[in-house]
Amino acid sequence: MRTGSLRMPVFAGLATLTAAICLGPAFLTGVWFLPTAFAILVVGVGCEVARRTAASRATVPFGGLAALAIYLLLRYAHDQALFGIIPWTDSFDHVGKLASAGKADINRYTAPIGVSPGIELLTVGGVGLVAVAVDTLAVTFRRAALAGLPLLVLYTVPTAVAPGGVSWVAFALAGIAYLALLLAESRERVSRWGRPMRYSAARANFVPEADTAPLSQVGRRVGATALGLALVVPALLPNVSASAFGFGGGAFGRGGGGGSNKVSVINPFLQLGENLRQGDNTTVIRYSGKATYLRLVGDDQFTGDVWKPRNLTVSRDNNDVEKGLSTPPGLSGTVSTTKRHYRIDVFDLDEQWLPLPYPAKRVSNIDGTWLYDGSTFNVFGENSSTRQISYQVTALSVNPTPQQLASSSAVEPSSVRRYLDLPQNMDPTIEDKADEITKGLATNYDKALAIQNYLRDPTLFTYSQTVDATVGDSGSASAIASFLQSRRGYCVQFASTMAVMARLLHIPSRVAVGFAAGAPDGSGRHLVGLHDAHAWPELYFPGVGWVPFEPTPGGPASAPPSYANQQPGAGAQPTSSSSTDTLGRGTAGAAGQPTSAPRTPQGPLKGTGSGGGKVGAGPVQLPIVPVLIVLAALVLLAVPGLTRLVVRRSRWRHASTASAQALAAWTDLQDTLVDFHYHWDPADPPRRGAARLAADRHLVGEGQQALGRIASATERARYAPEMSPVGDLRADVGTVRSALADGSSRWGRWRARFLPRSTRAVAARIGDLFADGLDAVDNLVTAVTTRRRLRRT
């Protein structure tokens, strides 16, 4: 086996690397590429080391596989390795867990997908295996053509799953690298045929040298033509869905990146009780900044059985949280706000809702695509998970005064009236109790305080995670009625009851689900565990916006904020100063250190219902792809006619003398005859050919006279040493063209104008120039390599 040259291993690695670029549309970020590129390098080195140790062909791939395995273990399980460098059993276990998590993410999300550690591991490992296959076929067994099969995998995967398919730029790079691999293999194959004698100008004699330049020229021309067709044809094809061929979603053509993609999200409200009752208080979030509630989602629809978020339709371009969130609904400039900054680290919390303080202003340094709804400020991931991510948040701490809340208008705007919707089958005892609690109170603010203080009264209600069977873990209307009788429950019942009573009293409301403030860890940060899962109501006050209240008297709940910490009708003085501006000033139960507790497929907050989020380009969906196809077809149809016009103008622009004008007229006439499908006999002199043309196409009058002037001027220009000025030959050519058009059919006239055959010569000329350029490159490469070999000789 030849091991001296590194040309083939280098070109094999380059082909794999460029083919891996095609995977880009399948991911939301490009963080996977550099680890993948290094894996290809490691595989190439491993295979080459095996070849140079005189290993048999069958054992060379194992060198690449061993190098790839060591790289994956050191990169993704170095913390579990002995001394950080020696893989151990724990390393294999950790890599296996990462691979399982990545597989679960792939099954759960659709492309483009966020790059979690598990997905990155599978991507790097998969491309590494392709690199082993390409090196084995192209380098070890010298079958570069067969190496295209594993490379095709890297192209077909994103074509089948990515919404926009593979871009032509990525395909072009991969195609060029594959052609380079084929040409490199052909050069080495020809060089093994022998060493024929070739004349060397440098030595003025014959030297043994393999002349592969002609083969390279032919190969480059054929490859360039094939690559050009492969780039042009998909651009002209409609967006054919791969599902029509049984391969799932995706596109074989250029594809359309727009449209609406459904984002499936879960409702964490449903099993808060189960999470609160878990024995292990696993830490799922750590954040730095002022203590605050972390809101996952605002449930704004009440079906009578459950609170859930409504389906969301947002703009991918305008609602990206990294571009900033809009002004919170209803918040006016008269309300005092304080800007807060947070850094949030999420551990094993597998959610599509992003935990944030309310209201957030901007999220930065976050992996994946996260979009928000402008009315609820629900932030959800477009095929992104919260597991193992970190980000920074700028949020507002809204500090309304009791006077501002009390003076808020009782007439809500039309945009929030849906927050008053209730099912028809509501238990009348709930409304009776709401009326009883708020009897004699005039403002919505006093009514909200009355409901909150009623539910927080320790002589009436008891916080308990163990509820009666009639209450259960839901926030349904029947559960609320039973809760008002048993008066035992936890945050789900307290928050649901206050939100439903508020709607019965014509106060817009919703239920927020997330986490309480957690416990400080002693280093200026807070740890949030599963036992801090919490729900609380948010009520709407015009001019202030959505205001959180805290009716839950125990558990992870903090004391009510300052604006809600007083009695109805008591004026502006709060009854307690334990909390000043927002929820989250109290303390919660201790949370343990971050652990790697097993996760269910739904994550720590296991919801069984679902809301939905739909990502679209806006409310109006235009058929962009068909329109672009029609425009592209029109542009292509206009190219020949425009080319003919440019050539004609350029020809006459450079005709400054009488002889040059006669030559331009004759050349333009010949092109015109080609356009009208008339064959001019090259043996005919100008006058005889003109007479034959006039007879064949029945040219009479001005057309015949103009043709005669062109022929006469052409003969004079050919044979006379000097030529006197001629008439307007350009106008004469136009006259002949009009006469030919009059004698042709309608289709003949349109064909001559928009599809002139004379432009074929221009296309052929451009092709020759392109081929000459490739020949120049080939000659330059051959000259450089020849000089190097002569120096070695």
Side-chain angles (χ1 to χ4, degrees), residues 22 36 44 54 68 183 190 236 248 280 324 364 381 468 513 529 537 547-548 552 621 654 667 721 740 748 757 764 784:
C22 296
T36 300
L68 177 63
L183 292 173
V190 172
L236 301 179
D280 186 10
S364 56
D468 296 340
V513 182
V547 177
T552 305
Q621 299 293 333
H654 295 88
T667 308
L740 292 173
R757 297 181 65 182
V784 172

Side-chain angles (χ1 to χ4, degrees), residues 73-333:
L73 289 171
L74 292 180
R75 174 171 177 80
Y76 297 101
H78 61 275
D79 291 337
Q80 290 75 25
L82 292 178
F83 309 109
I85 57 173
I86 303 177
W88 201 245
T89 55
D90 293 343
S91 303
F92 290 94
D93 292 340
H94 184 71
V95 169
K97 292 178 181 179
L98 275 183
S100 299
K103 183 179 179 182
D105 288 341
I106 293 174
N107 293 332
R108 178 176 180 181
Y109 304 125
T110 58
I113 191 172
V115 184
S116 64
I119 291 177
E120 181 182 304
L121 167 67
L122 294 179
T123 303
V124 174
V127 176
L129 293 178
V130 171
V132 172
V134 172
D135 187 277
T136 301
L137 293 172
V139 185
T140 303
F141 290 97
R142 302 292 175 175
R143 295 292 185 268
L146 292 179
L149 295 178
L151 291 176
L152 189 62
V153 173
L154 299 179
Y155 175 73
T156 55
V157 168
T159 302
V161 302
V166 177
S167 71
W168 69 269
V169 176
F171 175 77
L173 291 175
I176 291 172
Y178 179 58
L179 292 175
L181 176 62
L182 294 177
L183 292 173
E185 194 251 0
S186 68
R187 291 180 68 90
E188 291 210 352
R189 186 182 297 274
V190 172
S191 67
R192 295 197 301 272
W193 292 351
R195 300 179 67 82
M197 301 299 291
R198 179 185 178 192
Y199 184 79
S200 173
R203 289 191 164 190
N205 60 2
F206 287 90
V207 296
E209 182 68 31
D211 185 7
T212 60
L215 289 174
S216 298
Q217 292 173 0
V218 174
R220 290 180 190 275
R221 293 188 182 189
V222 173
T225 303
L227 186 62
L229 291 175
L231 292 175
V232 172
V233 172
L236 301 179
L237 288 176
N239 186 25
V240 181
S241 175
S243 60
F245 299 87
F247 294 103
F252 291 113
R254 290 177 65 91
S260 299
N261 297 329
K262 201 91 171 183
V263 179
S264 176
V265 290
I266 67 172
N267 181 11
F269 175 85
L270 296 173
Q271 294 199 10
L272 270 172
E274 182 177 340
N275 289 280
L276 290 171
R277 291 189 290 267
Q278 285 186 4
D280 186 10
N281 186 25
T282 303
T283 297
V284 291
I285 298 175
R286 180 181 61 205
Y287 70 93
S288 59
K290 203 169 183 65
T292 184
Y293 280 14
L294 296 176
R295 182 178 182 269
L296 279 173
V297 60
D299 289 334
D300 53 352
Q301 279 190 340
F302 183 62
T303 65
D305 296 322
V306 68
W307 287 90
K308 66 177 184 179
R310 67 186 180 95
N311 291 337
L312 304 179
T313 301
V314 301
S315 168
R316 183 183 287 108
D317 296 329
N318 300 327
N319 291 66
D320 192 322
V321 294
E322 292 197 85
K323 297 180 181 178
L325 286 76
S326 58
T327 302
L331 180 61
S332 66

